[in-house]
Amino acid sequence: MLVLGLETSCDETGVALYDTGAGLLAHALFSQVDIHVEYGGVVPELASRDHVRKVLPLVQEVLQDAGRDERSIDAVAYTAGPGLAGALMVGATLARALAWGWGIPALGVHHMEGHLLAPMLEEESPPFPFVALLVSGGHTQLVRVDAIGRYRLLGESLDDAAGEAFDKVAKMLGLPYPGGPHVARLAERGDASRFDFPRPMVNRPGLDFSFSGLKTHTLNTVAACTGDGELTEQDRCDIASAFEQAVVSTLVIKCRRALRQEGLKTLVMAGGVSANRYLRAELKRALAKEQAAVFYPAPVFCTDNGAMIAYAGAQRLAAGQFDEADVAVRPRWPMDELPPLDAVGAVQ
């Protein structure tokens, strides 16, 4: 089955072509960072308008790169949620229009299921069951995964997601949007031992997260260092390093706790923050002590992309799941509402 995947949930337009027999044939991505950077965050209306401009040309580019035409496509998968309503509608309406015009089925895919399954695009994919850490600008969740569609939420952030906290700390340090990569680069030159940053909620039972207090602690540290003057470059590096270490340490502690609680030895990490090199290194080091393995997608597939949507959609479409003709998106969509892969039939 050859599936065209469209991702337009936020500020990146992704298109990919995935074949269930041959794997990923082609993919293309356009990031809107340059559009939103002057506003310090995503402007939903601008995001939607740019998806309108970019998504169809990217479809044509991917088909050309793969050496295929529309007659060879068997189905279309698109991000139906969660995400920005207007941005989601762009991908959904185009996907439904293409599917109707080509006489093929279409399926709305859960954005976070796409992230969760992105490591399956690699040559060495994780075996079921496993614990997944989904960590991005909008989500920080630990999920037990027994099979595609069989998910149980173990813990999540009670306030800011980890990626959101990175972006807000970046603003405090005078760094541009998106902040995560800039904070990580500063942290490489910093001395985290200069400050004592808390590891929130690690000394209480459970697998939930909270990063709002850590964000406030960072703001107070910036204020203390500023005084009557300005932050020095070393101040910024040291604060970035202390903050990054606190976030990573918290994530690692909760991941180890989740694996022990579930009696599993496999962790999957996905989402934009999973590209953080320090986080990858610390998880690998910590899980080696547990004789556990960690899997994550290639950096290009950590952020929003069409390949993960095409793959996730292909698995469900191949099992007989599809959407009815009406177009519906879900800006808020709990992942545990997804049907198991073996629930064959129309997905309402």
Side-chain angles (χ1 to χ4, degrees):
M1 174 179 280
L2 185 62
V3 178
L4 177 69
L6 308 180
E7 156 59 23
T8 63
S9 65
C10 191
D11 61 343
E12 289 171 310
T13 310
V15 177
L17 203 57
Y18 181 84
D19 188 291
T20 53
L24 184 63
L25 301 184
H27 65 96
L29 182 71
F30 179 81
S31 174
Q32 299 178 0
V33 167
D34 291 343
I35 296 172
H36 301 289
V37 65
E38 64 179 294
Y39 303 100
V42 178
V43 181
E45 179 64 21
L46 295 181
S48 301
R49 291 181 182 183
D50 201 61
H51 286 309
V52 171
R53 287 191 291 266
K54 295 298 192 303
V55 65
L56 192 53
L58 286 180
V59 169
Q60 296 166 337
E61 177 184 332
V62 164
L63 287 173
Q64 183 177 2
D65 288 349
R68 303 295 180 92
D69 60 32
E70 63 273 12
R71 292 169 297 181
S72 64
I73 297 175
D74 297 306
V76 183
Y78 61 95
T79 305
L84 302 175
L88 292 168
M89 283 300 296
V90 175
T93 51
L94 177 61
R96 295 302 320 179
L98 293 176
W100 182 85
W102 296 338
I104 58 177
L107 178 68
V109 173
H110 194 289
H111 180 75
M112 295 312 294
E113 181 173 63
H115 275 304
L116 187 152
L117 298 179
M120 303 294 185
L121 293 164
E122 305 304 311
E123 287 188 14
E124 186 180 1
S125 59
F128 295 107
F130 56 78
V131 169
L133 170 66
L134 302 177
V135 57
S136 65
H139 298 81
T140 302
Q141 298 177 326
L142 282 166
V143 181
R144 180 186 172 108
V145 180
D146 288 297
I148 296 177
R150 296 195 179 276
Y151 309 129
R152 179 162 55 86
L153 181 65
L154 302 175
E156 62 184 337
S157 178
L158 303 178
D159 38 62
D160 290 2
E164 184 181 5
F166 266 99
D167 286 340
K168 290 179 178 178
V169 167
K171 279 189 176 182
M172 298 175 197
L173 298 177
L175 300 171
Y177 170 87
H182 295 286
V183 172
R185 281 193 286 272
L186 269 187
E188 291 176 355
R189 298 184 282 119
D191 177 13
S193 65
R194 178 180 167 189
F195 303 107
D196 183 20
F197 274 39
R199 274 57 173 166
M201 296 185 70
V202 299
N203 293 323
R204 66 178 69 177
L207 295 170
D208 287 330
F209 301 91
S210 173
F211 295 106
S212 63
L214 179 59
K215 180 186 64 180
T216 302
H217 186 92
T218 306
L219 181 63
N220 291 337
T221 303
V222 169
C225 289
T226 302
D228 295 327
E230 295 183 355
L231 284 178
T232 67
E233 182 66 10
Q234 193 58 52
D235 288 336
R236 295 164 73 238
C237 292
D238 294 345
I239 292 170
S241 182
F243 170 78
E244 182 184 56
Q245 283 199 19
V247 172
V248 167
S249 177
T250 300
L251 294 173
V252 169
I253 289 169
K254 292 299 179 83
C255 284
R256 292 178 69 182
R257 186 179 296 176
L259 289 170
R260 291 172 182 172
Q261 172 184 300
E262 299 302 309
L264 297 176
K265 293 291 186 181
T266 304
L267 178 78
V268 163
M269 180 173 63
V273 181
S274 68
N276 183 286
R277 289 185 293 180
Y278 180 65
L279 174 57
R280 290 190 176 206
E282 286 299 293
L283 267 179
K284 183 178 181 180
R285 181 186 62 80
L287 295 190
K289 298 178 180 178
E290 307 282 335
Q291 296 183 316
V294 58
F295 294 81
Y296 32 72
V300 68
F301 298 134
C302 288
T303 55
D304 297 349
N305 63 88
M308 69 183 192
I309 302 303
Y311 177 85
Q315 308 313 305
R316 291 185 171 274
L317 286 156
Q321 297 183 6
F322 60 93
D323 282 341
E324 299 295 352
D326 57 322
V327 177
V329 297
R330 297 186 62 179
R332 296 183 181 275
W333 188 4
M335 197 165 64
D336 57 9
E337 293 183 4
L338 291 172
L341 194 64
D342 54 10
V344 177
V347 178
Q348 301 298 325

